[in-house]
Structure formats: C-alpha cells, structure tokens
Amino acid sequence: MAIPERRKPRVVALGDPKYVGKEYLAEFEKDFNYSVLDATNRAEVQTMLPADIKANGPIDAFIIRMGTPLYEPFDADLLGVLSPDCKIITSASAGFNEFDVEWMASEGMYFCNTVNAVAEATADMAMFLVLAVLRNTTQAEVAARDGSWRAAGLVPTRDPADLTLGIVGMGAIGKYLAKKATAFNMKIKYYNRKQLPAEQEAKYNTTYCSSLHDLLGEADVVSLNCPLNKETTNLISDAEFAAMKDGVYLVNTARGAVIDEKALITALESGKVARVGLDVFVNEPKPDPYFLRSNKTIVQPHLGGLTDKAFQKAERECFENIRAYFSTGKPNSPVMGITERI
C-alpha cells in the first residue's frame, strides 16, 4: 500500500541516477517524494543544497552516486545543512573513507555504503590485473604498436596455473576474485580479520593464513581487496615487501593508500616486486609519475567498479537502503548508525 502523500519522506539524490531505471524510479516515487540536486561540484552543493531545503523543506534521505572526487570530503562543512532532519545518507560506492561517518552518526544519521553492487566488477578488474602483470600486457601492446613486435623481455611470461594467489581481505570482492582465480587453476590463500567458516573456505577453494606476513611469504601474486581505514593505511610498506617472495606480483584494486607508494617504488626498482597492477593511487587523478612511466606497472584510472551493471546495482542499493529504513527503522547495510554513536 502506498504511503499517503502527506507522509511521503523527501529523498534527494546528488546527481541523476541514470542507471537505476525509469520503471524502478516510478515505483519508488509511489512511496517517496523524490528529486535530484543537479550540483556538479562541492561549491555548487554548498550553494544549491541550502536553497533546495529553503524552497522545498527538510530532506529525510540523501543519495550520493558514484563519481565523488569533485565533492569530497562528505563532512559537516558540505552536508551540515541536512541536520537535524535527515535520517539516512546512502552512497553508491563500496569504500567510505571519503565520508565523515562519525559526524553523521553523531547527528543521528545512518550512513550506508553498497555491499555487493561493485564487488564482482571490481573482482573482474583484479583478475584482469593479475593476468596483465603475469603476461606483461602493457609492454606487449607498446611493442606491437611501435613495430618492435616481440621486443626483448616479453618472452616468456608467466602462467597463472599453479601459482599461489594471496588475497588480502576476503569480503565480497575477495570471494568473487577467489572464484575467478580458481578457473585459472591458481591456488588460493587469504588473510582476513576473521577466518571464514570451513564451508565457505571449501566453497571458495581457499586456505586461511593467520597473519598477513605468513600470507605474503607464500603468495606468488598478492591482491589487495580490503577497505581503507586507520588500520589499513600503509598496510603494505617496507616490512611487508621484505616478507614477500622475490619477484612477487602485486595487484591493488582497494584504495591507493593501502600501499606505502614510496616503499612500493623501492620494491619495484630492487626487483622484489616484478610487476604491479594498480587501479587505485594515493593521488587521484594525478598519480605519482613513476607509475605512469615505469615498464613494471600496469595502470588503470580507478575503473574497477565502473560498469553499467555495477552502476545499476549500486544505485538500486542506495534506494533499497532508504526503503528498508522507512519500512523497518533500519537500513540494509549501515556502516554506522544511530545505535552506534561515537
């Protein structure tokens, strides 16, 4: 049964959710007063959001789509005008280091990220980079394009079969990656804050390592799939590179700051790391020039979760978190809510 008009919660999206689907939106609008804030950068939000509230009344729920760098950080300075009426803020991104979740919680707002929307697409990128670093695809393409064909150093490359893939972070992305890597006959080991139940380890054909350094010492290829937080900032630094095998391959589709980039450059130059595949960097969109010019790097412009299907899933997760909150009092994937205030 549709919510009566006078009781419809007001929901505003930052930018038009182009992938959620017209039919889906039409159904959502039966129960919610929905509109779009067409702000394209932080300064426009700071001007347009207060004006929208003054003209149309308090906002009960706020949606933030993918493509956030021009607005960041999402803090009281940007979104303070939402308080005290807004009850929930949802993000189409999986990571949430750019959101001041503690401030939101202190204001009585739930904050929700997406859990499954970009997971498989990001795992696809991780698997692509695993194959790319093993097969040295960037240098191979350069050689083909400039006419040098099979230039020195291109033959032979490495087969993934029978190599050990070490997954750091066995959440949704890590699990998808394990399934994909198994298809390439890789041996899968993982390190996580908590060990998976035995039935899940069997499902994903993986073996637990009780410490990060144990995993790094056993892996031929290391894939970083953990969130960025205080504990994982510079998680991979000098000591961790020292714990790795000589000539290891490294892939990062998590966040750039999970790796100490200076330590990574040293490891690449020494040969400790044979090649690295990076979809994320500390300084985006202008990464350290070393990674752009080195022949030991495979680089992508943070495209891991940016597919049409992932966009649709992510946008719908945002709306479904809001629907769940106003139906049950709790969203589907809260990062920190009003019951967990700092």
PDB file of all heavy atoms in Angstrom, residues 299-338:
ATOM      1  N   VAL A 299      48.606   0.084 -15.297  1.00  0.00           N
ATOM      2  CA  VAL A 299      47.778   1.070 -14.606  1.00  0.00           C
ATOM      3  C   VAL A 299      46.407   1.210 -15.263  1.00  0.00           C
ATOM      4  O   VAL A 299      46.262   1.068 -16.484  1.00  0.00           O
ATOM      5  CB  VAL A 299      48.472   2.446 -14.550  1.00  0.00           C
ATOM      6  CG1 VAL A 299      49.772   2.350 -13.755  1.00  0.00           C
ATOM      7  CG2 VAL A 299      48.743   3.005 -15.940  1.00  0.00           C
ATOM      8  N   GLN A 300      45.414   1.495 -14.424  1.00  0.00           N
ATOM      9  CA  GLN A 300      44.050   1.786 -14.838  1.00  0.00           C
ATOM     10  C   GLN A 300      43.567   2.996 -14.035  1.00  0.00           C
ATOM     11  O   GLN A 300      43.988   3.187 -12.896  1.00  0.00           O
ATOM     12  CB  GLN A 300      43.134   0.589 -14.589  1.00  0.00           C
ATOM     13  CG  GLN A 300      43.436  -0.640 -15.445  1.00  0.00           C
ATOM     14  CD  GLN A 300      42.981  -0.461 -16.871  1.00  0.00           C
ATOM     15  OE1 GLN A 300      41.797  -0.378 -17.158  1.00  0.00           O
ATOM     16  NE2 GLN A 300      43.941  -0.382 -17.788  1.00  0.00           N
ATOM     17  N   PRO A 301      42.636   3.801 -14.567  1.00  0.00           N
ATOM     18  CA  PRO A 301      42.200   5.028 -13.898  1.00  0.00           C
ATOM     19  C   PRO A 301      41.023   4.819 -12.947  1.00  0.00           C
ATOM     20  O   PRO A 301      39.981   5.452 -13.074  1.00  0.00           O
ATOM     21  CB  PRO A 301      41.826   5.940 -15.074  1.00  0.00           C
ATOM     22  CG  PRO A 301      41.320   5.004 -16.110  1.00  0.00           C
ATOM     23  CD  PRO A 301      42.159   3.754 -15.973  1.00  0.00           C
ATOM     24  N   HIS A 302      41.197   3.922 -11.981  1.00  0.00           N
ATOM     25  CA  HIS A 302      40.177   3.624 -10.967  1.00  0.00           C
ATOM     26  C   HIS A 302      38.839   3.271 -11.627  1.00  0.00           C
ATOM     27  O   HIS A 302      37.799   3.869 -11.358  1.00  0.00           O
ATOM     28  CB  HIS A 302      39.993   4.789  -9.994  1.00  0.00           C
ATOM     29  CG  HIS A 302      39.418   4.375  -8.679  1.00  0.00           C
ATOM     30  ND1 HIS A 302      39.634   5.064  -7.517  1.00  0.00           N
ATOM     31  CD2 HIS A 302      38.627   3.325  -8.329  1.00  0.00           C
ATOM     32  CE1 HIS A 302      39.010   4.475  -6.501  1.00  0.00           C
ATOM     33  NE2 HIS A 302      38.385   3.409  -6.982  1.00  0.00           N
ATOM     34  N   LEU A 303      38.890   2.228 -12.454  1.00  0.00           N
ATOM     35  CA  LEU A 303      37.717   1.794 -13.212  1.00  0.00           C
ATOM     36  C   LEU A 303      37.071   0.535 -12.649  1.00  0.00           C
ATOM     37  O   LEU A 303      36.083   0.057 -13.211  1.00  0.00           O
ATOM     38  CB  LEU A 303      38.114   1.520 -14.674  1.00  0.00           C
ATOM     39  CG  LEU A 303      38.473   2.719 -15.546  1.00  0.00           C
ATOM     40  CD1 LEU A 303      38.888   2.238 -16.932  1.00  0.00           C
ATOM     41  CD2 LEU A 303      37.296   3.678 -15.659  1.00  0.00           C
ATOM     42  N   GLY A 304      37.617   0.010 -11.543  1.00  0.00           N
ATOM     43  CA  GLY A 304      37.212  -1.312 -11.073  1.00  0.00           C
ATOM     44  C   GLY A 304      35.719  -1.557 -11.024  1.00  0.00           C
ATOM     45  O   GLY A 304      35.219  -2.543 -11.562  1.00  0.00           O
ATOM     46  N   GLY A 305      34.978  -0.678 -10.355  1.00  0.00           N
ATOM     47  CA  GLY A 305      33.549  -0.904 -10.202  1.00  0.00           C
ATOM     48  C   GLY A 305      32.693  -0.144 -11.191  1.00  0.00           C
ATOM     49  O   GLY A 305      31.467  -0.108 -11.048  1.00  0.00           O
ATOM     50  N   LEU A 306      33.311   0.461 -12.209  1.00  0.00           N
ATOM     51  CA  LEU A 306      32.573   1.354 -13.096  1.00  0.00           C
ATOM     52  C   LEU A 306      32.102   0.635 -14.351  1.00  0.00           C
ATOM     53  O   LEU A 306      32.625   0.833 -15.452  1.00  0.00           O
ATOM     54  CB  LEU A 306      33.429   2.571 -13.445  1.00  0.00           C
ATOM     55  CG  LEU A 306      34.009   3.334 -12.246  1.00  0.00           C
ATOM     56  CD1 LEU A 306      34.700   4.609 -12.708  1.00  0.00           C
ATOM     57  CD2 LEU A 306      32.938   3.649 -11.220  1.00  0.00           C
ATOM     58  N   THR A 307      31.093  -0.203 -14.177  1.00  0.00           N
ATOM     59  CA  THR A 307      30.445  -0.866 -15.303  1.00  0.00           C
ATOM     60  C   THR A 307      28.952  -0.542 -15.259  1.00  0.00           C
ATOM     61  O   THR A 307      28.425  -0.132 -14.221  1.00  0.00           O
ATOM     62  CB  THR A 307      30.632  -2.390 -15.266  1.00  0.00           C
ATOM     63  OG1 THR A 307      29.908  -2.927 -14.133  1.00  0.00           O
ATOM     64  CG2 THR A 307      32.106  -2.766 -15.142  1.00  0.00           C
ATOM     65  N   ASP A 308      28.267  -0.746 -16.379  1.00  0.00           N
ATOM     66  CA  ASP A 308      26.841  -0.409 -16.414  1.00  0.00           C
ATOM     67  C   ASP A 308      26.036  -1.219 -15.398  1.00  0.00           C
ATOM     68  O   ASP A 308      25.175  -0.683 -14.686  1.00  0.00           O
ATOM     69  CB  ASP A 308      26.274  -0.577 -17.830  1.00  0.00           C
ATOM     70  CG  ASP A 308      26.532  -1.960 -18.420  1.00  0.00           C
ATOM     71  OD1 ASP A 308      27.230  -2.790 -17.796  1.00  0.00           O
ATOM     72  OD2 ASP A 308      26.039  -2.205 -19.552  1.00  0.00           O
ATOM     73  N   LYS A 309      26.336  -2.499 -15.289  1.00  0.00           N
ATOM     74  CA  LYS A 309      25.592  -3.343 -14.353  1.00  0.00           C
ATOM     75  C   LYS A 309      25.901  -2.967 -12.914  1.00  0.00           C
ATOM     76  O   LYS A 309      25.006  -2.921 -12.062  1.00  0.00           O
ATOM     77  CB  LYS A 309      25.943  -4.819 -14.598  1.00  0.00           C
ATOM     78  CG  LYS A 309      25.035  -5.795 -13.867  1.00  0.00           C
ATOM     79  CD  LYS A 309      23.625  -5.741 -14.419  1.00  0.00           C
ATOM     80  CE  LYS A 309      22.748  -6.818 -13.787  1.00  0.00           C
ATOM     81  NZ  LYS A 309      21.348  -6.740 -14.282  1.00  0.00           N
ATOM     82  N   ALA A 310      27.159  -2.677 -12.633  1.00  0.00           N
ATOM     83  CA  ALA A 310      27.536  -2.289 -11.280  1.00  0.00           C
ATOM     84  C   ALA A 310      26.879  -0.968 -10.897  1.00  0.00           C
ATOM     85  O   ALA A 310      26.429  -0.789  -9.760  1.00  0.00           O
ATOM     86  CB  ALA A 310      29.052  -2.178 -11.162  1.00  0.00           C
ATOM     87  N   PHE A 311      26.815  -0.014 -11.844  1.00  0.00           N
ATOM     88  CA  PHE A 311      26.147   1.253 -11.573  1.00  0.00           C
ATOM     89  C   PHE A 311      24.678   1.031 -11.213  1.00  0.00           C
ATOM     90  O   PHE A 311      24.149   1.639 -10.280  1.00  0.00           O
ATOM     91  CB  PHE A 311      26.246   2.174 -12.795  1.00  0.00           C
ATOM     92  CG  PHE A 311      27.450   3.062 -12.798  1.00  0.00           C
ATOM     93  CD1 PHE A 311      28.724   2.541 -12.635  1.00  0.00           C
ATOM     94  CD2 PHE A 311      27.325   4.424 -12.974  1.00  0.00           C
ATOM     95  CE1 PHE A 311      29.838   3.358 -12.641  1.00  0.00           C
ATOM     96  CE2 PHE A 311      28.437   5.258 -12.986  1.00  0.00           C
ATOM     97  CZ  PHE A 311      29.699   4.717 -12.812  1.00  0.00           C
ATOM     98  N   GLN A 312      24.023   0.179 -11.977  1.00  0.00           N
ATOM     99  CA  GLN A 312      22.614  -0.084 -11.700  1.00  0.00           C
ATOM    100  C   GLN A 312      22.432  -0.714 -10.322  1.00  0.00           C
ATOM    101  O   GLN A 312      21.580  -0.290  -9.530  1.00  0.00           O
ATOM    102  CB  GLN A 312      22.007  -0.992 -12.769  1.00  0.00           C
ATOM    103  CG  GLN A 312      20.514  -1.238 -12.557  1.00  0.00           C
ATOM    104  CD  GLN A 312      19.948  -2.265 -13.509  1.00  0.00           C
ATOM    105  OE1 GLN A 312      20.207  -3.460 -13.397  1.00  0.00           O
ATOM    106  NE2 GLN A 312      19.170  -1.791 -14.483  1.00  0.00           N
ATOM    107  N   LYS A 313      23.245  -1.730 -10.030  1.00  0.00           N
ATOM    108  CA  LYS A 313      23.148  -2.383  -8.727  1.00  0.00           C
ATOM    109  C   LYS A 313      23.412  -1.406  -7.595  1.00  0.00           C
ATOM    110  O   LYS A 313      22.722  -1.404  -6.575  1.00  0.00           O
ATOM    111  CB  LYS A 313      24.146  -3.544  -8.648  1.00  0.00           C
ATOM    112  CG  LYS A 313      23.801  -4.758  -9.491  1.00  0.00           C
ATOM    113  CD  LYS A 313      24.875  -5.826  -9.319  1.00  0.00           C
ATOM    114  CE  LYS A 313      24.580  -7.072 -10.119  1.00  0.00           C
ATOM    115  NZ  LYS A 313      25.673  -8.091  -9.964  1.00  0.00           N
ATOM    116  N   ALA A 314      24.441  -0.551  -7.776  1.00  0.00           N
ATOM    117  CA  ALA A 314      24.820   0.393  -6.721  1.00  0.00           C
ATOM    118  C   ALA A 314      23.713   1.407  -6.466  1.00  0.00           C
ATOM    119  O   ALA A 314      23.368   1.701  -5.311  1.00  0.00           O
ATOM    120  CB  ALA A 314      26.115   1.103  -7.105  1.00  0.00           C
ATOM    121  N   GLU A 315      23.156   1.961  -7.535  1.00  0.00           N
ATOM    122  CA  GLU A 315      22.096   2.942  -7.362  1.00  0.00           C
ATOM    123  C   GLU A 315      20.870   2.317  -6.716  1.00  0.00           C
ATOM    124  O   GLU A 315      20.238   2.919  -5.831  1.00  0.00           O
ATOM    125  CB  GLU A 315      21.758   3.573  -8.708  1.00  0.00           C
ATOM    126  CG  GLU A 315      22.884   4.471  -9.231  1.00  0.00           C
ATOM    127  CD  GLU A 315      22.636   5.049 -10.613  1.00  0.00           C
ATOM    128  OE1 GLU A 315      21.591   4.709 -11.220  1.00  0.00           O
ATOM    129  OE2 GLU A 315      23.474   5.826 -11.081  1.00  0.00           O
ATOM    130  N   ARG A 316      20.543   1.111  -7.108  1.00  0.00           N
ATOM    131  CA  ARG A 316      19.379   0.452  -6.503  1.00  0.00           C
ATOM    132  C   ARG A 316      19.626   0.100  -5.042  1.00  0.00           C
ATOM    133  O   ARG A 316      18.699   0.161  -4.220  1.00  0.00           O
ATOM    134  CB  ARG A 316      18.996  -0.788  -7.311  1.00  0.00           C
ATOM    135  CG  ARG A 316      18.402  -0.433  -8.662  1.00  0.00           C
ATOM    136  CD  ARG A 316      17.813  -1.624  -9.392  1.00  0.00           C
ATOM    137  NE  ARG A 316      17.234  -1.216 -10.658  1.00  0.00           N
ATOM    138  CZ  ARG A 316      16.555  -2.031 -11.477  1.00  0.00           C
ATOM    139  NH1 ARG A 316      16.383  -3.310 -11.145  1.00  0.00           N
ATOM    140  NH2 ARG A 316      16.051  -1.576 -12.606  1.00  0.00           N
ATOM    141  N   GLU A 317      20.864  -0.250  -4.688  1.00  0.00           N
ATOM    142  CA  GLU A 317      21.165  -0.492  -3.278  1.00  0.00           C
ATOM    143  C   GLU A 317      20.929   0.762  -2.450  1.00  0.00           C
ATOM    144  O   GLU A 317      20.444   0.695  -1.318  1.00  0.00           O
ATOM    145  CB  GLU A 317      22.611  -0.977  -3.095  1.00  0.00           C
ATOM    146  CG  GLU A 317      22.786  -2.473  -3.269  1.00  0.00           C
ATOM    147  CD  GLU A 317      24.108  -2.974  -2.716  1.00  0.00           C
ATOM    148  OE1 GLU A 317      24.484  -2.579  -1.593  1.00  0.00           O
ATOM    149  OE2 GLU A 317      24.766  -3.773  -3.414  1.00  0.00           O
ATOM    150  N   CYS A 318      21.266   1.929  -3.001  1.00  0.00           N
ATOM    151  CA  CYS A 318      21.019   3.193  -2.299  1.00  0.00           C
ATOM    152  C   CYS A 318      19.534   3.355  -1.997  1.00  0.00           C
ATOM    153  O   CYS A 318      19.142   3.678  -0.868  1.00  0.00           O
ATOM    154  CB  CYS A 318      21.502   4.368  -3.144  1.00  0.00           C
ATOM    155  SG  CYS A 318      23.290   4.529  -3.253  1.00  0.00           S
ATOM    156  N   PHE A 319      18.708   3.163  -3.015  1.00  0.00           N
ATOM    157  CA  PHE A 319      17.270   3.322  -2.842  1.00  0.00           C
ATOM    158  C   PHE A 319      16.696   2.264  -1.903  1.00  0.00           C
ATOM    159  O   PHE A 319      15.809   2.557  -1.095  1.00  0.00           O
ATOM    160  CB  PHE A 319      16.571   3.263  -4.206  1.00  0.00           C
ATOM    161  CG  PHE A 319      16.741   4.502  -5.032  1.00  0.00           C
ATOM    162  CD1 PHE A 319      17.804   4.635  -5.916  1.00  0.00           C
ATOM    163  CD2 PHE A 319      15.838   5.545  -4.932  1.00  0.00           C
ATOM    164  CE1 PHE A 319      17.965   5.783  -6.681  1.00  0.00           C
ATOM    165  CE2 PHE A 319      15.985   6.700  -5.696  1.00  0.00           C
ATOM    166  CZ  PHE A 319      17.053   6.824  -6.574  1.00  0.00           C
ATOM    167  N   GLU A 320      17.208   1.041  -2.005  1.00  0.00           N
ATOM    168  CA  GLU A 320      16.680  -0.030  -1.163  1.00  0.00           C
ATOM    169  C   GLU A 320      17.066   0.149   0.304  1.00  0.00           C
ATOM    170  O   GLU A 320      16.323  -0.237   1.202  1.00  0.00           O
ATOM    171  CB  GLU A 320      17.143  -1.392  -1.678  1.00  0.00           C
ATOM    172  CG  GLU A 320      16.472  -1.817  -2.975  1.00  0.00           C
ATOM    173  CD  GLU A 320      14.950  -1.804  -2.879  1.00  0.00           C
ATOM    174  OE1 GLU A 320      14.405  -2.354  -1.883  1.00  0.00           O
ATOM    175  OE2 GLU A 320      14.299  -1.230  -3.773  1.00  0.00           O
ATOM    176  N   ASN A 321      18.226   0.756   0.571  1.00  0.00           N
ATOM    177  CA  ASN A 321      18.577   1.086   1.951  1.00  0.00           C
ATOM    178  C   ASN A 321      17.581   2.087   2.531  1.00  0.00           C
ATOM    179  O   ASN A 321      17.171   1.971   3.690  1.00  0.00           O
ATOM    180  CB  ASN A 321      19.999   1.651   2.012  1.00  0.00           C
ATOM    181  CG  ASN A 321      21.042   0.594   2.315  1.00  0.00           C
ATOM    182  OD1 ASN A 321      20.945  -0.137   3.289  1.00  0.00           O
ATOM    183  ND2 ASN A 321      22.060   0.510   1.463  1.00  0.00           N
ATOM    184  N   ILE A 322      17.200   3.054   1.726  1.00  0.00           N
ATOM    185  CA  ILE A 322      16.226   4.050   2.169  1.00  0.00           C
ATOM    186  C   ILE A 322      14.854   3.408   2.369  1.00  0.00           C
ATOM    187  O   ILE A 322      14.172   3.640   3.382  1.00  0.00           O
ATOM    188  CB  ILE A 322      16.158   5.205   1.156  1.00  0.00           C
ATOM    189  CG1 ILE A 322      17.467   6.005   1.213  1.00  0.00           C
ATOM    190  CG2 ILE A 322      14.952   6.107   1.427  1.00  0.00           C
ATOM    191  CD1 ILE A 322      17.631   7.004   0.095  1.00  0.00           C
ATOM    192  N   ARG A 323      14.459   2.587   1.426  1.00  0.00           N
ATOM    193  CA  ARG A 323      13.169   1.904   1.554  1.00  0.00           C
ATOM    194  C   ARG A 323      13.134   1.053   2.822  1.00  0.00           C
ATOM    195  O   ARG A 323      12.139   1.054   3.564  1.00  0.00           O
ATOM    196  CB  ARG A 323      12.913   1.034   0.319  1.00  0.00           C
ATOM    197  CG  ARG A 323      11.495   0.472   0.263  1.00  0.00           C
ATOM    198  CD  ARG A 323      11.385  -0.584  -0.830  1.00  0.00           C
ATOM    199  NE  ARG A 323      11.640  -0.035  -2.159  1.00  0.00           N
ATOM    200  CZ  ARG A 323      10.732   0.627  -2.884  1.00  0.00           C
ATOM    201  NH1 ARG A 323       9.534   0.848  -2.388  1.00  0.00           N
ATOM    202  NH2 ARG A 323      11.048   1.060  -4.089  1.00  0.00           N
ATOM    203  N   ALA A 324      14.224   0.334   3.072  1.00  0.00           N
ATOM    204  CA  ALA A 324      14.270  -0.519   4.265  1.00  0.00           C
ATOM    205  C   ALA A 324      14.194   0.313   5.536  1.00  0.00           C
ATOM    206  O   ALA A 324      13.493  -0.054   6.494  1.00  0.00           O
ATOM    207  CB  ALA A 324      15.551  -1.352   4.252  1.00  0.00           C
ATOM    208  N   TYR A 325      14.902   1.442   5.562  1.00  0.00           N
ATOM    209  CA  TYR A 325      14.891   2.271   6.770  1.00  0.00           C
ATOM    210  C   TYR A 325      13.484   2.767   7.089  1.00  0.00           C
ATOM    211  O   TYR A 325      13.025   2.677   8.236  1.00  0.00           O
ATOM    212  CB  TYR A 325      15.833   3.468   6.622  1.00  0.00           C
ATOM    213  CG  TYR A 325      15.660   4.449   7.761  1.00  0.00           C
ATOM    214  CD1 TYR A 325      16.199   4.172   9.019  1.00  0.00           C
ATOM    215  CD2 TYR A 325      14.918   5.604   7.606  1.00  0.00           C
ATOM    216  CE1 TYR A 325      16.006   5.032  10.085  1.00  0.00           C
ATOM    217  CE2 TYR A 325      14.717   6.479   8.661  1.00  0.00           C
ATOM    218  CZ  TYR A 325      15.270   6.192   9.900  1.00  0.00           C
ATOM    219  OH  TYR A 325      15.059   7.040  10.954  1.00  0.00           O
ATOM    220  N   PHE A 326      12.789   3.278   6.091  1.00  0.00           N
ATOM    221  CA  PHE A 326      11.461   3.831   6.347  1.00  0.00           C
ATOM    222  C   PHE A 326      10.393   2.752   6.505  1.00  0.00           C
ATOM    223  O   PHE A 326       9.291   3.038   6.970  1.00  0.00           O
ATOM    224  CB  PHE A 326      11.087   4.832   5.247  1.00  0.00           C
ATOM    225  CG  PHE A 326      11.821   6.135   5.378  1.00  0.00           C
ATOM    226  CD1 PHE A 326      12.918   6.410   4.580  1.00  0.00           C
ATOM    227  CD2 PHE A 326      11.441   7.062   6.330  1.00  0.00           C
ATOM    228  CE1 PHE A 326      13.614   7.609   4.710  1.00  0.00           C
ATOM    229  CE2 PHE A 326      12.137   8.262   6.470  1.00  0.00           C
ATOM    230  CZ  PHE A 326      13.221   8.533   5.674  1.00  0.00           C
ATOM    231  N   SER A 327      10.735   1.517   6.165  1.00  0.00           N
ATOM    232  CA  SER A 327       9.806   0.405   6.374  1.00  0.00           C
ATOM    233  C   SER A 327      10.016  -0.281   7.722  1.00  0.00           C
ATOM    234  O   SER A 327       9.061  -0.685   8.386  1.00  0.00           O
ATOM    235  CB  SER A 327       9.955  -0.632   5.253  1.00  0.00           C
ATOM    236  OG  SER A 327       9.625  -0.083   4.005  1.00  0.00           O
ATOM    237  N   THR A 328      11.303  -0.414   8.124  1.00  0.00           N
ATOM    238  CA  THR A 328      11.618  -1.220   9.308  1.00  0.00           C
ATOM    239  C   THR A 328      12.334  -0.455  10.409  1.00  0.00           C
ATOM    240  O   THR A 328      12.494  -0.968  11.509  1.00  0.00           O
ATOM    241  CB  THR A 328      12.503  -2.414   8.907  1.00  0.00           C
ATOM    242  OG1 THR A 328      13.810  -1.936   8.528  1.00  0.00           O
ATOM    243  CG2 THR A 328      11.891  -3.194   7.747  1.00  0.00           C
ATOM    244  N   GLY A 329      12.826   0.752  10.083  1.00  0.00           N
ATOM    245  CA  GLY A 329      13.588   1.516  11.063  1.00  0.00           C
ATOM    246  C   GLY A 329      15.078   1.278  10.989  1.00  0.00           C
ATOM    247  O   GLY A 329      15.852   1.903  11.719  1.00  0.00           O
ATOM    248  N   LYS A 330      15.495   0.375  10.099  1.00  0.00           N
ATOM    249  CA  LYS A 330      16.925   0.104   9.945  1.00  0.00           C
ATOM    250  C   LYS A 330      17.235  -0.203   8.484  1.00  0.00           C
ATOM    251  O   LYS A 330      16.533  -0.994   7.846  1.00  0.00           O
ATOM    252  CB  LYS A 330      17.357  -1.066  10.822  1.00  0.00           C
ATOM    253  CG  LYS A 330      18.864  -1.281  10.845  1.00  0.00           C
ATOM    254  CD  LYS A 330      19.274  -2.348  11.850  1.00  0.00           C
ATOM    255  CE  LYS A 330      20.798  -2.500  11.880  1.00  0.00           C
ATOM    256  NZ  LYS A 330      21.243  -3.518  12.862  1.00  0.00           N
ATOM    257  N   PRO A 331      18.303   0.408   7.932  1.00  0.00           N
ATOM    258  CA  PRO A 331      18.672   0.122   6.543  1.00  0.00           C
ATOM    259  C   PRO A 331      19.338  -1.238   6.413  1.00  0.00           C
ATOM    260  O   PRO A 331      19.672  -1.898   7.405  1.00  0.00           O
ATOM    261  CB  PRO A 331      19.636   1.255   6.203  1.00  0.00           C
ATOM    262  CG  PRO A 331      20.231   1.643   7.516  1.00  0.00           C
ATOM    263  CD  PRO A 331      19.163   1.428   8.547  1.00  0.00           C
ATOM    264  N   ASN A 332      19.580  -1.640   5.167  1.00  0.00           N
ATOM    265  CA  ASN A 332      20.154  -2.958   4.902  1.00  0.00           C
ATOM    266  C   ASN A 332      21.649  -3.044   5.197  1.00  0.00           C
ATOM    267  O   ASN A 332      22.130  -4.076   5.654  1.00  0.00           O
ATOM    268  CB  ASN A 332      19.921  -3.343   3.433  1.00  0.00           C
ATOM    269  CG  ASN A 332      18.460  -3.458   3.093  1.00  0.00           C
ATOM    270  OD1 ASN A 332      17.657  -3.922   3.911  1.00  0.00           O
ATOM    271  ND2 ASN A 332      18.076  -3.023   1.894  1.00  0.00           N
ATOM    272  N   SER A 333      22.386  -1.977   4.911  1.00  0.00           N
ATOM    273  CA  SER A 333      23.848  -2.056   5.047  1.00  0.00           C
ATOM    274  C   SER A 333      24.423  -0.824   5.742  1.00  0.00           C
ATOM    275  O   SER A 333      25.195  -0.079   5.142  1.00  0.00           O
ATOM    276  CB  SER A 333      24.513  -2.245   3.675  1.00  0.00           C
ATOM    277  OG  SER A 333      24.147  -1.181   2.799  1.00  0.00           O
ATOM    278  N   PRO A 334      24.047  -0.611   7.010  1.00  0.00           N
ATOM    279  CA  PRO A 334      24.597   0.548   7.722  1.00  0.00           C
ATOM    280  C   PRO A 334      26.067   0.361   8.057  1.00  0.00           C
ATOM    281  O   PRO A 334      26.485  -0.708   8.506  1.00  0.00           O
ATOM    282  CB  PRO A 334      23.745   0.617   9.002  1.00  0.00           C
ATOM    283  CG  PRO A 334      23.339  -0.807   9.238  1.00  0.00           C
ATOM    284  CD  PRO A 334      23.161  -1.417   7.864  1.00  0.00           C
ATOM    285  N   VAL A 335      26.856   1.399   7.830  1.00  0.00           N
ATOM    286  CA  VAL A 335      28.251   1.377   8.272  1.00  0.00           C
ATOM    287  C   VAL A 335      28.305   1.759   9.742  1.00  0.00           C
ATOM    288  O   VAL A 335      28.988   1.145  10.544  1.00  0.00           O
ATOM    289  CB  VAL A 335      29.103   2.334   7.429  1.00  0.00           C
ATOM    290  CG1 VAL A 335      30.505   2.482   8.006  1.00  0.00           C
ATOM    291  CG2 VAL A 335      29.174   1.841   5.995  1.00  0.00           C
ATOM    292  N   MET A 336      27.575   2.798  10.098  1.00  0.00           N
ATOM    293  CA  MET A 336      27.471   3.209  11.486  1.00  0.00           C
ATOM    294  C   MET A 336      26.171   3.947  11.631  1.00  0.00           C
ATOM    295  O   MET A 336      25.863   4.834  10.827  1.00  0.00           O
ATOM    296  CB  MET A 336      28.631   4.121  11.876  1.00  0.00           C
ATOM    297  CG  MET A 336      28.669   4.507  13.336  1.00  0.00           C
ATOM    298  SD  MET A 336      30.079   5.574  13.693  1.00  0.00           S
ATOM    299  CE  MET A 336      31.442   4.498  13.294  1.00  0.00           C
ATOM    300  N   GLY A 337      25.373   3.562  12.607  1.00  0.00           N
ATOM    301  CA  GLY A 337      24.050   4.168  12.718  1.00  0.00           C
ATOM    302  C   GLY A 337      23.820   4.826  14.056  1.00  0.00           C
ATOM    303  O   GLY A 337      24.714   4.938  14.890  1.00  0.00           O
ATOM    304  N   ILE A 338      22.598   5.226  14.264  1.00  0.00           N
ATOM    305  CA  ILE A 338      22.279   5.973  15.479  1.00  0.00           C
ATOM    306  C   ILE A 338      22.387   5.118  16.725  1.00  0.00           C
ATOM    307  O   ILE A 338      22.428   5.650  17.828  1.00  0.00           O
ATOM    308  CB  ILE A 338      20.873   6.594  15.378  1.00  0.00           C
ATOM    309  CG1 ILE A 338      19.808   5.502  15.124  1.00  0.00           C
ATOM    310  CG2 ILE A 338      20.797   7.649  14.313  1.00  0.00           C
ATOM    311  CD1 ILE A 338      18.397   6.039  15.107  1.00  0.00           C
TER     312      ILE A 338
END
